[in-house]
Amino acid sequence: MGRSARFMAVLVGLLLLVSACLADGETTTVPPQQAHPELWITVALLLLFMVAGVCGLLLFLRFRRAHTCLKNVDDHNVTMLKVPNGDDPTYGGIFDEFCTSGSGTGLPYLVQRTMARQISLVECVGKGRYGEVWRGTWMGESVAVKIFSSRDEQSWFRETEIYNTVQLRHDNILGFIASDMTSKNSSTQLWLVTHFHEMGSLYDFLQYSSLEPESCLKMCLSMACGLVHLHTEIVSSQGKPAIAHRDLKSRNILVKRNGQCCIADLGLAVIHSQFNDFLDVGHNPRVGTKRYMAPEVLDESIRMDVFESYKQTDIWALGLVFWEISRRTIINGIVEEYRPPFFDLVPSDPSYEEMKKVVCVDQQRPRLHNRLHSHPIMSSIVKIMKECWFQNPPARLTALRVKKTLSKHDHDSDFSINKLKQDI
Ligand code: ADE
């Protein structure tokens, strides 16, 4: 029985007891001269008020905390939950309530399920082989709901597993809210509920936006920060294993209102702990996106038993994403149209063979426009890109090196050198 049910039971029990006493007083067989009925009634009323007061106070204290988290969605006067600092939403502090204790990895499963089932789907904002992404509302606030296609259930399992077992709260990693599995007309529906970012994916954003070099730097640096957090193992009670993403691309990066980005889609990620000496590559038959595959993945020379290999493939893809952003960056009034990596060398939806010929055999790299060399920030990003694209995987930069180099250009933002020192 729950605590509140026990309170109610005690309250009801005491009230029954008091009323039984009162009733007993009325039917007593004691001679009238010994009964003192007015004294009995006074004592009983005092007792009743005391019990009701104490129970009322306890119930008030108990429900006041829960009320701020889980208001009834049917209540149309529900107060809009606040988004502090115009950055990530907190969903009424529900994570503070649950996540600062225990493993600290997320909400309990039952709470996740309850939340997911209170969501109203509003509009479809994305569709692909993976399934669909919807904007939904929970307690008046927008959430993103990714509905996985049945053939991609392994990605749902993997992402759910990682978000529920690894402490991944970071400004540049998509914020997880809940996972839910339901049965509908004998088919299984798999939902992943996350923070909603109204500006959508980086791929969508770059189609219609061009950038100043400072904004390009902010995006690239925020991605590097997210990747450093993923790639780094933290050994402590609130620590985390190292994670490699394996499908980094502009469609898997979201743009936030503050101009930073966050990394999404952990469905293919691999986990490594030096501390526990284990490498978990998961059981997903899915492979990464061919256009973004590193040469060693395309020619199958990658050492799949070595975790570092996966981080090196992420760095290759990170360089390609930087290239996509740099094309849309205005320098001396010049900007290029959005194009995906290798757009001039392979057709859309390229085969392995087509990619392998370009990347492994001919060892071609995306072309870099001359204007990029004339700006200090952009020439630094060009140098980074080239060092993300070395044929020899161990020669590539690490995410931490990318982050440190970009931070040197960033004097007046959240990523100032002091913050960087804290993170190391
Ligand atoms: N598209 C895919 N995921 C999204 C999210 N979390 N917010 C907004 N658009 C998205």
Side-chain angles (χ1 to χ4, degrees):
M1 200 194 303
R3 234 192 297 175
S4 50
R6 275 204 302 276
F7 280 136
M8 293 308 288
V10 170
L11 180 63
V12 170
L14 284 167
L15 289 174
L16 281 175
L17 200 69
V18 170
S19 58
C21 286
L22 279 172
D24 212 25
E26 281 165 12
T27 57
T28 184
T29 52
V30 176
Q33 65 272 24
Q34 293 171 17
H36 302 298
E38 52 305 336
L39 185 68
W40 267 108
I41 288 169
T42 312
V43 168
L45 280 174
L46 270 174
L47 213 75
L48 183 68
F49 281 127
M50 274 170 60
V51 169
V54 169
C55 291
L57 185 68
L58 289 173
L59 284 173
F60 170 73
L61 289 175
R62 178 172 167 71
F63 284 116
R64 196 178 57 159
R65 281 180 69 196
H67 182 70
T68 53
C69 300
L70 289 166
K71 284 184 194 162
N72 189 341
V73 275
D74 294 336
D75 176 5
H76 296 294
N77 295 322
V78 67
T79 319
M80 289 287 278
L81 299 167
K82 298 286 181 299
V83 180
N85 309 326
D87 198 354
D88 285 338
T90 61
Y91 301 98
I94 190 164
F95 290 97
D96 294 342
E97 287 284 326
F98 287 100
C99 303
T100 48
S101 60
S103 68
T105 49
L107 301 173
Y109 289 115
L110 204 58
V111 177
Q112 289 185 32
R113 202 174 77 171
T114 307
M115 283 179 83
R117 291 170 194 198
Q118 291 174 342
I119 290 170
S120 315
L121 297 181
V122 180
E123 55 181 333
C124 182
V125 295
K127 214 175 163 101
R129 280 178 231 173
Y130 62 85
E132 293 175 352
V133 177
W134 285 72
R135 182 174 76 82
T137 54
W138 183 75
M139 310 266 292
E141 202 168 2
S142 286
V143 292
V145 181
K146 184 168 172 182
I147 305 175
F148 287 72
S149 71
S150 55
R151 64 178 176 174
D152 201 18
E153 64 172 27
Q154 282 302 327
S155 295
W156 178 86
F157 275 109
R158 188 62 167 169
E159 201 157 13
T160 298
E161 178 189 18
I162 291 178
Y163 272 124
N164 278 303
T165 56
V166 179
Q167 175 61 267
L168 266 185
R169 301 244 152 237
H170 188 279
D171 281 351
N172 307 114
I173 307 289
L174 178 61
F176 170 74
I177 297 174
S179 263
D180 189 32
M181 177 192 272
T182 48
S183 261
K184 195 178 162 192
N185 308 329
S186 79
S187 76
T188 309
Q189 274 224 341
L190 302 171
W191 281 23
L192 186 89
V193 185
T194 62
H195 290 182
F196 182 75
H197 296 291
E198 65 217 19
M199 299 175 81
S201 74
L202 178 62
Y203 175 86
D204 295 334
F205 175 83
L206 293 175
Q207 309 300 311
Y208 57 81
S209 311
S210 50
L211 303 162
E212 297 298 328
E214 291 72 20
S215 310
C216 168
L217 172 67
K218 190 174 198 171
M219 285 190 158
C220 293
L221 181 50
S222 64
M223 263 182 271
C225 288
L227 200 59
V228 169
H229 185 70
L230 272 187
H231 281 186
T232 309
E233 177 172 6
I234 302 172
V235 183
S236 78
S237 58
Q238 291 282 297
K240 65 173 274 298
I243 296 170
H245 187 284
R246 291 177 72 205
D247 198 14
L248 217 52
K249 56 179 174 177
S250 52
R251 286 182 193 271
N252 282 342
I253 288 162
L254 295 161
V255 179
K256 306 207 299 184
R257 263 185 305 194
N258 64 4
Q260 292 187 26
C261 293
C262 63
I263 298 172
D265 189 354
L266 300 174
L268 202 57
V270 299
I271 303 171
H272 178 246
S273 170
Q274 244 171 354
F275 183 63
N276 297 324
D277 184 30
F278 95 115
L279 174 68
D280 174 7
V281 292
H283 311 282
N284 201 337
R286 174 183 147 196
V287 289
T289 306
K290 289 182 220 94
R291 190 179 288 278
Y292 289 82
M293 279 179 184
E296 65 276 16
V297 179
L298 291 165
D299 70 10
E300 297 176 70
S301 64
I302 183 170
R303 294 195 54 187
M304 293 176 74
D305 55 336
V306 178
F307 178 69
E308 289 297 309
S309 315
Y310 299 101
K311 293 204 286 186
Q312 290 153 1
T313 68
D314 280 351
I315 294 295
W316 170 276
L318 182 74
L320 295 179
V321 177
F322 282 12
W323 176 85
E324 291 174 81
I325 303 173
S326 70
R327 277 184 65 93
R328 303 294 289 139
T329 304
I330 313 159
I331 301 158
N332 304 328
I334 305 169
V335 63
E336 298 160 273
E337 287 190 344
Y338 174 80
R339 291 285 181 265
F342 303 109
F343 74 97
D344 48 349
L345 301 170
V346 297
S348 62
D349 198 10
S351 66
Y352 274 105
E353 284 311 314
E354 285 162 335
M355 284 305 302
K356 204 163 126 179
K357 165 91 171 56
V358 168
V359 172
C360 307
V361 181
D362 301 342
Q363 303 199 357
Q364 302 231 48
R365 298 294 182 264
R367 274 186 255 285
L368 296 156
H369 194 280
N370 270 341
R371 78 184 188 294
L372 300 174
H373 302 291
S374 66
H375 191 283
I377 291 177
M378 298 313 294
S379 58
S380 178
I381 293 178
V382 163
K383 185 163 181 287
I384 290 173
M385 284 188 243
K386 288 181 176 171
E387 294 178 22
C388 289
W389 295 334
F390 287 137
Q391 205 78 15
N392 176 26
R396 291 175 204 149
L397 297 175
T398 62
L400 185 59
R401 175 48 54 199
V402 175
K403 174 178 164 177
K404 283 184 180 181
T405 306
L406 292 176
S407 298
K408 287 181 194 143
H409 294 278
D410 195 63
H411 304 296
D412 47 17
S413 81
D414 296 347
F415 303 109
S416 66
I417 204 77
N418 285 336
K419 179 157 191 304
L420 184 71
K421 278 184 192 151
Q422 278 172 22
D423 291 351
I424 297 171

